Amino acid sequence: MASVVPIQTPNIAQNLDKNVLYLVGPNFWHVRGRFKILKLIDIETQMSIIKLHNGKFLIIDTVEMNDRLRQEIDLLTNDGRNIEAVIGTHPFHTVSFPAFYQTYPNAAYYGTPRHLRRLTEIPWRGNLNDRNIRKKWKPDIEMRIPAGAEFINPQPESSNHFVSVFVYHPISRTLHVDDTIMFTEKPSFLLKLFGYQNGIMAFHPSIKNSGLYPTSNAPYLFRDWMRKLLHDWPFENICCAHLGIKMGGAHADVTTLLNNAEPLFAKISEKNRKKYSEYEIPVDNHSNMNVSDNEYG
């Protein structure tokens, strides 16, 4: 563990090197990874590592590894022998899983329904749509899936990347979440051209179109789910795949984000009421699955 680099001050996400293991809090490490869109804009991706009470480790999401990161993970996990499980929390964050599996094939792998459908070369042990799997590592971590949004088969695959499994680590008071919530500490010049500002917490842009079910109550199902999460999970830090992490004060920022989104929820609800009055939330999978080249991490 000598090479593990601790994060010592809050709000330094813009200074975190890629493919380096950082200590966020007790028994919680984090890695920033690169993921470029349009071959120019690095919107980043993430991986977190959590030490369980039994001394084993959970890997939450994966990033593309270099030799340094692999060596750091090996030092932390006894050459991978102490990795109990690798968990994929976002349906479209799949790119790095095959290589990670080749490096650490003896761990148990768990993913979203889309992980299981798409990455068939990995012998998945379980599906995060199963609540028993989500409860498997309590009380070390808690996992929840947002209400009001499609998790099994988000459509259209090219843009609906809103939903992901939220993972909370009580000991470090850290929340790991992929696209649903985004945080930008100091966005690059190119990102500023797309409207991202300093120190901004935001919901994924797809919330305004395909992210939630097209029903009048979907925005409020999501809002109430978020309220319950904020009540139950007193997190202080948040690790967001895009575009960084917030050390300290994250719970207050997400609360403000949710409160400020009330007009947006009302607007989406009214739009859905007028446009999709007969839409019914699907109860099973659909035919338009596994479109290629829509991965986002």
Side-chain angles (χ1 to χ4, degrees), residues 11-12 41 50-51 61 71 84 94 109 183 189 195 203 208 224 229-230 249 262 287:
N11 301 332
I12 59 169
I41 305 173
I50 296 170
K51 187 176 182 179
D61 294 321
Q71 290 168 5
E84 181 168 313
T94 61
Y109 283 72
F183 175 71
F189 172 75
F203 291 121
K208 297 179 181 179
D224 293 346
L229 179 144
L230 287 164
E262 195 64 30
S287 59

Side-chain angles (χ1 to χ4, degrees), residues 59 72 95 107 122 164 184 215 252:
I59 309 292
E72 290 185 335
V95 174
I122 297 175
S164 60
T184 57
T215 65

Side-chain angles (χ1 to χ4, degrees), residues 202-237:
F203 291 121
H204 190 272
S206 63
I207 192 175
K208 297 179 181 179
N209 41 69
S210 59
L212 298 172
Y213 286 124
T215 65
S216 60
N217 68 330
Y220 298 117
L221 289 173
F222 174 70
R223 179 201 64 187
D224 293 346
W225 180 89
M226 282 292 305
R227 285 177 175 173
K228 183 71 163 56
L229 179 144
L230 287 164
H231 177 270
D232 294 345
W233 293 355
F235 58 90
E236 279 299 308
N237 315 309

